[in-house]
Amino acid sequence: MKISVGSFVLAAAAVATAHYTFPDFIINGAATTDWQYVRETANHYSNGPVTDVTSQPFRCYELDSSATAPATGIATVAAGSTVGFKANGAIYHPGYLAVYMSAASPAANSPNAGTGQTWFKVWQKLPTVNGSQLTSDTTITQFTFTIPKSLPSGPYLIRGEQAALHVASTYGGAQFYIGCAQVNVTNGGSGKPSPLVSIPGVYTGNEPGLLLNIYNLPAGYVYQAPGPAVWSG
Ligand SMILES: *[C@@H]1O[C@H](CO)[C@@H](O)[C@H](O)[C@H]1NC(C)=O
Ligand SMILES: *[C@@H]1O[C@H](CO)[C@@H](O)[C@H](O)[C@H]1NC(C)=O
Ligand SMILES: [Cu+2]
């Protein structure tokens, strides 16, 4: 991040109220450089969320819809290996974490990759119920998952998402923090990922897992994850 001396105090003050981004892709335990393999997001400075689940920015939230993808690297990752996203601070809002993948045509750094009904969910972490409240570990700074061993080799996008739910009791209140990594998957198999969904399109915003008051849950409440089932290969 470039910060001039004059704006430093202002920037430091802004950070205290800021949210977060997922600038670093993690490959087998090692975090890579900011925005090296994750498409730089429009909130790279503000850290603010996307709240319109029907908007184009809900896909990958690129800084520039045509220039960001080709300017971002493509990581080579083996099917069956562990990858993930590291945030620029604690993921301090309680919420739901998910990772979606999409085959990327013609390449992982193509601006149009992932614009069809091509996405499948590969991992999720549900918030937990504590009495009448929904919580999650708000001290974590990263999340990782395993690329299914049977995923066919080829170019893909990997989209990490957190739906922060602290103000989700009115429509559009859920806050989405998003990052898309560009990868070539090697050593894969012949699995058929499903079900396939579009992003945007996967959520309406009215799902019980996205529109709820996490501070006043009814007795016996069970969190219902939004979106499709996980494909685990
Ligand atoms: C990714 O795979 C494509 C072929 O699908 C290849 O042309 C490209 O060079 C690969 N990129 C990297 C960085 O390995
Ligand atoms: C669960 O709720 C209790 C009472 O509000 C609180 O003291 C405790 O820290 C919570 N535990 C977790 C894991 O959030
Ligand atoms: Cu926030």
Side-chain angles (χ1 to χ4, degrees), residues 25-29 77-78 81-85 143-147 158:
F25 188 53
I26 299 168
I27 306 174
N28 294 322
V77 294
S81 66
T82 299
V83 300
F85 292 88
F143 52 96
T144 60
F145 72 100
T146 301
I147 297 178
I158 302 181

Side-chain angles (χ1 to χ4, degrees), residues 103-131:
S105 175
N109 63 355
S110 308
N112 287 336
T115 53
Q117 191 177 330
T118 54
W119 294 89
F120 49 97
K121 190 187 281 175
V122 287
W123 178 84
Q124 65 183 356
K125 187 165 175 53
L126 274 52
T128 55
V129 177
N130 178 12

Side-chain angles (χ1 to χ4, degrees), residues 37 73-76 104 106-109 153-156 182-186:
Y37 299 118
I74 299 172
T76 301
N109 63 355
S153 298
Y156 287 88
Q182 304 184 158
V183 301
N184 277 349
V185 173
T186 57

Side-chain angles (χ1 to χ4, degrees), residues 165-182:
L165 300 171
H166 54 299
V167 287
S169 57
T170 55
Y171 183 82
Q175 300 184 344
F176 293 86
Y177 298 92
I178 294 162
C180 285
Q182 304 184 158

